[in-house]
Amino acid sequence: MIGAFFSVVTAIGLIRLPDLYTRTHAASKSATLGVMCILIGTLIFFLTEDGMFNSRIVLGIFFVLITAPVGGHLIARAAYNMGVKPAPETVVDDLADKEKHEKAKSRK
Amino acid sequence: MLTIAIYIALVGVAASMIGIVIRVVKGPSAADRVVALDSLGISLIAMTGLFSMLLDSSVFLEVILLLGILAFIGTVAFSKYLEKGAIVDRERHK
């Protein structure tokens, strides 16, 4: 139930949020948490129903926990290097300033 | 009681998958679609877990692990493609 709630929050975030970076934020975090809640529920279900401890679910939980934020990070960085602009409300863009600075330094 | 909870959770995950598909269809950039497809795979993991609870069988649990690995590899491959234009680099030293 909790996991399904977080999945719904993920979908709402994916539809509503203005640009790619905030959407990545919504997708990677709340989807990870939702899936982890559902998988922990599955683990407890099989533990109580059949009395067997299922190591594959534990492996799945850890794998999702490790890889989903890494995937979000990779895709956000790829999008930044592609030149996707953030939302117009953005105030600070440190990475662009840094790149401009390095370009100026290399020209000297 | 538990079956009702599982059904409600299934409906919720299915609704979220529909929302993610909307984002895949109308996403303005390619990276948007990749993010949406990644979370679609992750919610497919959730669906598999819920279905294995519903059918009371533990034969689908390899599918969970496999889908997690495949979603991660697909995301990494797509982000490398979007960033450099090639998935596997030829030149090691640049």
Side-chain angles (χ1 to χ4, degrees):
Chain A
M1 287 288 288
I2 301 170
F5 171 71
F6 277 115
S7 300
V8 173
V9 170
T10 306
I12 294 171
L14 275 179
I15 295 173
R16 287 279 302 165
L17 288 176
D19 72 339
L20 186 135
Y21 304 103
T22 48
R23 258 179 243 141
T24 313
H25 171 84
S28 64
K29 275 195 272 300
S30 64
T32 309
L33 187 58
V35 168
M36 277 175 58
C37 285
I38 286 180
L39 289 184
I40 288 170
T42 316
L43 180 69
I44 294 171
F45 176 81
F46 281 118
L47 197 60
T48 55
E49 201 85 349
D50 302 345
M52 64 172 181
F53 185 75
N54 218 312
S55 59
R56 285 166 293 183
I57 306 181
V58 181
L59 264 179
I61 290 170
F62 274 108
F63 196 81
V64 169
L65 171 67
I66 291 171
T67 59
V70 177
H73 165 78
L74 278 174
I75 198 65
R77 203 186 56 176
Y80 192 88
N81 290 336
M82 264 168 70
V84 176
K85 291 278 173 291
E89 299 93 54
T90 311
V91 184
V92 185
D93 197 350
D94 278 341
L95 196 51
D97 288 346
K98 187 182 158 220
E99 280 173 2
K100 222 180 286 171
H101 192 67
E102 279 176 359
K103 217 174 275 177
K105 208 193 286 176
S106 67
R107 218 179 287 145
K108 249 182 249 174
Chain B
M1 180 56 212
L2 193 60
T3 317
I4 298 170
I6 292 171
Y7 274 122
I8 294 171
L10 267 177
V11 170
V13 177
S16 77
M17 282 173 88
I18 290 172
I20 291 167
V21 166
I22 290 173
R23 177 49 69 192
V24 173
V25 170
K26 77 169 197 183
S29 72
D32 266 317
R33 296 197 172 94
V34 178
V35 170
L37 283 177
D38 185 37
S39 53
L40 192 67
I42 286 182
S43 46
L44 202 60
I45 298 173
M47 280 291 235
T48 316
L50 289 172
F51 261 108
S52 72
M53 270 196 278
L54 196 62
L55 300 177
D56 199 2
S57 73
S58 64
V59 296
F60 294 124
L61 302 177
E62 287 96 351
V63 180
I64 291 175
L65 200 51
L66 196 62
L67 274 178
I69 294 170
L70 281 182
F72 177 62
I73 290 175
T75 309
V76 170
F78 249 110
S79 68
K80 283 201 75 171
Y81 171 67
L82 291 177
E83 200 168 349
K84 295 178 189 162
I87 296 176
V88 182
D89 300 338
R90 292 287 159 85
E91 308 141 41
R92 293 266 171 83
H93 313 287
K94 254 196 200 170

